[in-house]
């Protein structure tokens, strides 16, 4: 099977890898990602062994059959039914090379139980984790008996046949994505998937039922950076989405170039940062428009409601969102950028207004992905997840340039692999700093890297990686391989996250480097000037305290006439 895959790759590229150093390296990376260690997920630690007072029952706890719906029921603690709305559960089946999640079923407010169903695709032995997830310590508890030993019966698994099936599926960026269900699937390791589309550096990949995600190595990205046409990916969101941006950079850089990644200006920017390698351009803007709820469809606020963080005004709905709209007009779609792909964490109400500021002549794609979250409890509830999927589907009717990616469905199998692994809702991030594969991988996070790979496929190989590889002009390959490359980094990063703000035009500080990323000079970062909190508001008592990675702040709220 391995020799067949390599032979096909050589045929695709119409070249002999023994005489072409560029092609040889590309094939080497395909083999590298298709062999070597598989980075395993931590599913249980001593602190996550606390027992829930709820009970799990049902045949699906121990026995299931491939292709047949199985179910389990979690009975709620009768002494706690008065706070039923605070009950959230996770059902996750973990095999050595295959992970899938149980789906919560609808319950009414008077229910004393919640059911989960799942349809296994592969036979084998699994650990079935049934956990109660909580928003405060101890964060999650095991239902008595968890993890259960689940045996899934079916025809003996033919891994070679399974690999052929995944190879024969179309590239995900080439199929119709008019419904969130296109991304339904499960996580598997390279032992079960073919080599045509590749896997993540960790050895895992998310495998939808309808398509296969193309993956791109550092050398693939190097080739793409020499494209005659510039390609730009813009990530707009919070620190959760920043993980996608960091995965893009981590994938693009060689080991010696990224040794300072965690100490660079890219690592934790609460403003605007951009990275350029040749004609590939990655952008991140802190863009927490979910916080701007107090807006009309016209973009005007319902009233002059003031929120203050310490002595400065913060997140006035209309003003904060006005600056977000100006950022689109003056920076993202100013004379310099014009991205090909926009990935934005935005509810549909804000999305309507954002789309109004995108020029009609723009022919890119926007992904308004709101549910790429591990910490949001409502997504572990059938109604909450369904509502987010309905909103995603409704967004398609707003503009033909809107596309759908169900972030929760893609990421949910890796819910134990958050920054606070194995705690599901303790951290906001799917990504974390690491040092794996002898320094080749500094940003770990299968969901963030999977999304990054999908976005790369959109801009590099919209017709599929195999078509892209056939289109590469190798006549100048020796020059391409020997040229010393330069990276460019620009940023405008404030010294603190609070007060929340968006600059319509970032004041950029840039550098070019042939050695790699520079260590950040954070002492030069400035605190956002903002506007002072009104005197009458400062006289009121704080109503809350907000905690962020840059510190805490007293929250005051008042209405100014």
């Amino acid at each position: 099977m391995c020799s067949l895959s390599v032979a096909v790759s050589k045929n695709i590229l119409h070249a002999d890898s023994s005489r072409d150093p560029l092609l040889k390296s590309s094939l080497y990376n395909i083999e590298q990602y298709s062999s070597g260690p598989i980075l395993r997920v931590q599913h249980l630690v001593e602190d996550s062994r606390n027992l829930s007072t709820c009970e799990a029952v049902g045949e699906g706890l121990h026995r299931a059959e491939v292709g047949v719906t199985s179910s389990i029921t979690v009975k709620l603690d009768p002494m706690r039914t008065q706070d039923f709305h605070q009950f959230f559960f996770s059902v996750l089946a973990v095999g050595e090379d295959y992970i899938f999640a149980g789906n919560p079923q609808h319950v009414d407010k008077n229910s004393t139980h919640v059911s989960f169903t799942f349809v296994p695709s592969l036979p084998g032995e699994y650990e079935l984790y049934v956990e109660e997830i909580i928003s405060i310590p101890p964060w999650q508890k095991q239902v008595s008996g968890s993890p259960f030993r689940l045996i899934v019966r079916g025809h003996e698994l033919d891994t070679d046949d399974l690999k052929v099936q995944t190879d024969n599926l179309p590239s995900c960026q080439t199929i119709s994505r008019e419904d969130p269900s296109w991304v339904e699937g499960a996580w598997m390791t390279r032992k079960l998937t073919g080599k045509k589309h590749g896997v993540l550096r960790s050895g895992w990949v998310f495998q939808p039922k309808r398509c296969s995600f193309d993956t791109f190595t550092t050398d693939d990205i190097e080739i793409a950076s020499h494209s005659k046409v510039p390609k730009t990916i813009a990530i707009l969101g919070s620190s959760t989405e920043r993980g996608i941006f960091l995965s893009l950079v981590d994938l693009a850089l060689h080991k010696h170039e990224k040794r300072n990644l965690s100490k660079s200006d890219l690592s934790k920017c609460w403003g605007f940062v951009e990275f350029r390698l040749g004609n590939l351009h990655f952008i991140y803007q802190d863009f927490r428009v979910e916080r701007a709820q107090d807006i009309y469809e016209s973009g005007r606020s319902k009233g002059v409601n003031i929120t203050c963080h310490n002595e400065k005004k913060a997140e006035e709905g209309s003003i904060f969102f006005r600056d977000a709209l100006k950022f689109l007009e003056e920076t993202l779609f100013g004379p310099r950028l014009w991205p090909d792909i926009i990935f934005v964490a935005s509810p549909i109400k804000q999305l309507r207004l954002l789309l109004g500021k995108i020029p009609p002549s723009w022919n890119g794609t926007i992904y308004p992905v709101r549910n790429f979250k591990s910490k949001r409890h409502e997504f572990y509830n059938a109604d909450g997840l369904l509502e987010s999927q309905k909103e995603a589907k409704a967004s398609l009717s707003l503009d033909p340039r809107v596309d759908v990616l169900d972030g929760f469905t893609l990421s949910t199998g890796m819910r134990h692999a958050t920054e606070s692994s194995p705690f599901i809702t303790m951290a906001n991030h799917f990504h974390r700093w690491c040092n794996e594969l002898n320094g080749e991988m500094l940003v770990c996070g299968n969901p963030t890297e999977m999304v990054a790979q999908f976005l790369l496929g959109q801009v590099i190989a919209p017709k599929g990686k195999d078509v892209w590889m056939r289109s590469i002009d190798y006549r100048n390959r020796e020059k391409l391989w020997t040229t010393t490359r330069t990276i460019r980094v620009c940023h405008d990063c404030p010294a603190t996250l609070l007060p929340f703000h968006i600059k319509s035009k970032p004041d950029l500080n840039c550098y070019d480097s042939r050695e790699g990323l520079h260590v950040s000079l954070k002492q030069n970062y400035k605190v956002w000037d903002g506007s002072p909190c009104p005197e009458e508001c400062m006289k009121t008592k704080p109503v809350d305290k907000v905690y962020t990675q840059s510190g805490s702040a007293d929250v005051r709220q008042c209405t100014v006439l």
Side-chain angles (χ1 to χ4, degrees):
M1 194 67 182
C2 292
S3 59
L4 174 61
S5 177
V6 173
V8 170
S9 297
K10 289 179 181 178
N11 183 53
I12 287 174
L13 292 169
H14 304 291
D16 181 355
S17 66
S18 64
R19 294 194 296 268
D20 191 327
L22 177 60
L23 178 55
K24 185 175 182 180
S25 179
S26 181
L27 287 175
Y28 169 76
N29 274 298
I30 292 173
E31 288 300 308
Q32 183 184 49
Y33 289 1
S34 299
S35 60
I38 295 172
L39 304 183
R40 297 295 176 180
V41 176
Q42 182 175 240
H43 295 282
L44 190 66
V45 295
E46 190 61 35
D47 287 344
S48 65
R49 293 180 182 272
N50 294 284
L51 284 180
S52 169
T53 55
C54 300
E55 178 188 6
V57 297
E59 187 175 345
L61 292 172
H62 302 286
R63 292 180 294 277
E65 188 175 343
V66 170
V68 178
T69 300
S70 295
S71 65
I72 69 169
T73 297
V74 179
K75 295 182 178 180
L76 307 184
D77 182 348
M79 301 299 293
R80 296 170 55 197
T81 52
Q82 69 277 8
D83 62 346
F84 168 74
H85 64 283
Q86 297 181 16
F87 280 84
F88 297 95
F89 297 93
S90 164
V91 174
L92 193 68
V94 177
E96 183 177 357
D97 298 298
Y98 191 77
I99 298 176
F100 63 92
N103 301 309
Q105 303 303 296
H106 170 75
V107 293
D108 61 51
K109 63 180 180 179
N110 297 317
S111 292
T112 58
H113 65 273
V114 57
S115 296
F116 290 79
T117 62
F118 53 87
V119 182
S121 296
L122 298 180
E125 182 175 329
Y126 298 83
E127 288 186 328
L128 187 70
Y129 289 85
V130 183
E131 298 167 297
E132 181 183 352
I133 50 179
I134 316 164
S135 58
I136 58 175
W139 303 107
Q140 67 202 48
K141 298 178 180 180
Q142 304 296 319
V143 171
S144 182
S146 175
F148 298 88
R149 182 172 179 262
L150 171 64
I151 302 298
V152 177
R153 303 191 183 281
H155 293 296
E156 184 177 353
L157 179 63
D158 185 337
T159 56
D160 287 341
D161 182 60
L162 184 60
K163 291 177 180 180
V164 171
Q165 290 180 40
T166 58
D167 274 346
N168 288 339
L169 287 172
S171 299
C172 288
Q173 68 269 30
T174 68
I175 69 168
S176 173
R177 297 179 296 277
E178 297 179 353
D179 188 281
S181 64
W182 76 265
V183 81
E184 289 178 357
W187 284 88
M188 60 176 61
T189 71
R190 65 166 66 93
K191 294 181 181 180
L192 302 179
T193 188
K195 293 184 179 180
K196 176 183 175 182
H197 299 281
V199 297
L200 303 181
R201 295 172 296 174
S202 65
W204 288 88
V205 71
F206 184 76
Q207 182 60 59
K209 298 175 183 177
R210 304 181 194 175
C211 60
S212 290
F213 283 106
D214 285 334
T215 58
F216 298 84
T217 67
T218 301
D219 290 327
D220 292 330
I221 296 172
E222 164 73 6
I223 296 170
S225 72
H226 291 271
S227 168
K228 295 179 181 179
V229 180
K231 297 293 182 181
T232 301
I233 298 173
I235 309 294
L236 313 180
S238 66
S239 55
T240 302
E241 290 73 32
R242 191 196 304 134
I244 301 169
F245 169 80
L246 292 173
S247 290
L248 286 167
V249 175
D250 194 34
L251 285 163
L253 292 177
H254 294 297
K255 179 179 176 179
H256 71 280
E257 295 172 318
K258 60 185 176 186
R259 61 183 180 273
N260 294 324
L261 178 55
S262 65
K263 303 174 184 177
S264 72
D265 296 302
L266 310 181
S267 65
K268 189 188 291 184
C269 183
W270 295 304
F272 176 89
V273 64
E274 58 180 300
F275 168 89
R276 185 186 293 274
L277 173 64
N279 269 339
L280 272 184
H281 194 190
F282 306 143
I283 296 167
Y284 171 74
Q285 168 66 47
D286 202 276
F287 203 76
R288 303 171 194 243
V289 294
E290 283 188 274
R291 309 188 70 88
Q293 295 293 329
D294 191 19
I295 57 174
Y296 280 136
E297 295 301 315
S298 63
R300 293 175 296 180
S301 67
K302 297 176 182 178
V304 189
N305 299 317
I306 302 295
T307 297
C308 294
H309 291 157
N310 290 336
E311 74 284 357
K312 293 181 180 178
K313 286 198 296 186
E315 57 178 287
E316 290 178 85
S318 61
I319 296 176
F320 178 77
F321 197 70
R322 178 199 64 191
D323 291 339
L325 296 176
K326 283 187 175 181
F327 170 79
L328 289 187
E329 286 185 299
E330 299 177 17
T331 296
L332 206 59
F333 289 98
R336 190 171 63 89
L337 297 180
W338 280 67
D340 298 272
I341 299 288
I342 301 173
F343 184 101
V344 58
S346 172
I348 194 167
K349 181 171 70 172
Q350 285 86 334
L351 178 64
R352 288 191 179 99
L353 300 176
L354 294 173
L355 288 170
K357 296 300 180 181
I358 295 178
S361 58
W362 182 63
N363 61 356
T365 304
I366 183 168
Y367 287 93
V369 183
R370 190 186 179 194
N371 65 355
F372 186 63
K373 309 287 184 183
S374 64
K375 195 176 179 68
R376 297 280 285 273
H377 288 73
E378 66 264 32
F379 298 143
Y380 298 91
N381 173 286
D383 294 336
L385 181 57
L386 181 62
E387 185 62 31
S388 75
Q389 292 171 338
K390 283 183 178 178
E391 182 174 302
K393 194 170 183 178
S395 67
L396 288 169
S397 64
L398 299 179
D399 193 300
R401 297 169 295 185
V402 173
D403 213 337
V404 173
L405 177 64
D406 185 347
F408 186 80
T409 296
L410 180 148
S411 62
T412 189
M414 286 290 161
R415 61 182 63 168
H416 281 163
T418 65
E419 185 181 28
S420 58
S421 174
F423 295 99
I424 298 170
T425 59
M426 184 177 174
N428 286 311
H429 306 154
F430 285 114
H431 68 283
R432 60 181 175 83
W433 295 112
C434 62
N435 189 345
E436 300 287 355
L437 307 180
N438 194 29
E440 295 288 351
M441 184 177 181
L442 300 184
V443 180
C444 288
N446 288 327
T448 51
E449 186 171 327
M450 194 75 265
V451 174
Q453 290 283 8
F454 175 62
L455 299 180
L456 284 171
Q458 290 279 78
V459 297
I460 293 176
K463 296 182 180 180
K465 186 176 179 180
D466 53 347
V467 175
W468 171 69
M469 293 179 79
R470 287 197 297 268
S471 71
I472 296 171
D473 183 358
Y474 285 96
R475 288 173 295 182
N476 297 319
R477 57 187 178 272
E478 291 183 5
K479 180 180 178 181
L480 172 66
W481 197 245
T482 57
T483 300
T484 301
R485 65 188 200 167
T486 300
I487 61 172
R488 182 171 179 81
V489 173
C490 296
H491 65 89
D492 182 356
C493 303
T496 61
L497 173 60
L498 300 177
F500 295 113
H501 65 281
I502 297 173
K503 281 188 179 181
S504 58
K505 282 188 176 181
D507 183 15
L508 296 181
N509 183 5
C510 301
Y511 67 83
D512 296 312
S513 174
R514 292 189 174 185
E515 291 76 35
L517 297 173
H518 294 178
V519 173
S520 174
L521 298 176
K522 292 189 176 181
Q523 63 269 28
N524 294 335
Y525 287 5
K526 297 179 180 179
V527 175
W528 170 248
D529 291 335
S531 302
C533 185
E535 184 177 350
E536 56 267 41
C537 202
M538 285 298 295
K539 293 178 181 178
T540 64
K541 292 183 178 180
V543 297
D544 198 2
K545 185 179 284 287
V546 62
Y547 298 90
T548 73
Q549 292 176 326
S550 65
S552 63
D554 290 329
V555 178
R556 291 178 172 84
Q557 293 178 332
C558 58
T559 300
V560 178
L561 300 177

